[in-house]
Amino acid sequence: MNAAWFGLIGVVVGGLISTLWGWLSVIRQELADGLVGARLVDDDLARLEMGSDGAEAGHQPLPTAQTWAENRVALAKVLGFRQWSTVSAVYRRSDPSSAHTWSGRDQELSAAREALAPLAAGKRHVLSQRWHNVFGPHTDD
């Protein structure tokens, strides 16, 4: 009888360890994908910041839609709500008809790059943010 209980406990503990390991593996992959996406989008935003310094009125560079399209899912998984809203606002306002009337563009670009900075810096800097995004209150971020 004791052997049966030990066997059952072993199966339960093994299942918990396996589930936890799988969950941590998914989180690690999401962070890796988010890190790559953040660096690529940050590079696109840096190009925009440099281009807006010397741009003529009505000829401001636009965000690269392809960079955003390829990386937005990875970023959505790892950024908090406020960070996501700040970064995605730059791309929502990027259609050519509104580019020349975009007021506050430099502030939005700076805020978006600031929101991406912890993730673009590396996984170690975003682990606590990821933990907060998963388990913390969703109104703060």
Side-chain angles (χ1 to χ4, degrees):
M1 184 79 147
N2 284 339
W5 283 109
F6 284 123
L8 180 62
I9 290 171
V11 168
V12 170
V13 169
L16 289 174
I17 290 171
S18 177
T19 300
L20 181 62
W21 188 257
W23 181 71
L24 290 174
S25 177
V26 168
I27 295 292
R28 184 175 177 212
Q29 185 61 47
E30 286 177 357
L31 285 174
D33 293 344
L35 182 138
V36 171
R39 288 180 178 171
L40 292 171
V41 170
D42 185 56
D43 190 47
D44 188 38
L45 296 176
R47 177 189 61 83
L48 291 174
E49 266 188 335
M50 289 189 307
S52 68
D53 292 340
E56 301 173 18
H59 291 75
Q60 295 173 337
L62 297 173
T64 307
Q66 182 178 357
T67 301
W68 177 245
E70 291 173 354
N71 297 291
R72 64 183 267 166
V73 172
L75 291 175
K77 291 179 182 179
V78 296
L79 293 178
F81 180 75
R82 239 184 238 158
Q83 294 168 313
W84 171 258
S85 296
T86 303
V87 175
S88 65
V90 173
Y91 290 91
R92 280 194 306 267
R93 301 176 206 251
S94 67
D95 62 83
S97 63
S98 68
H100 64 285
T101 61
W102 189 2
S103 62
R105 179 182 184 169
D106 291 335
Q107 291 83 10
E108 283 189 348
L109 287 172
S110 295
R113 292 197 68 211
E114 187 176 312
L116 287 174
L119 187 57
K123 287 185 250 185
R124 184 180 68 214
H125 301 289
V126 80
L127 285 175
S128 64
Q129 176 65 43
R130 175 66 174 154
W131 184 264
H132 179 73
N133 290 348
V134 172
F135 297 110
H138 296 291
T139 57
D140 292 344
D141 276 332

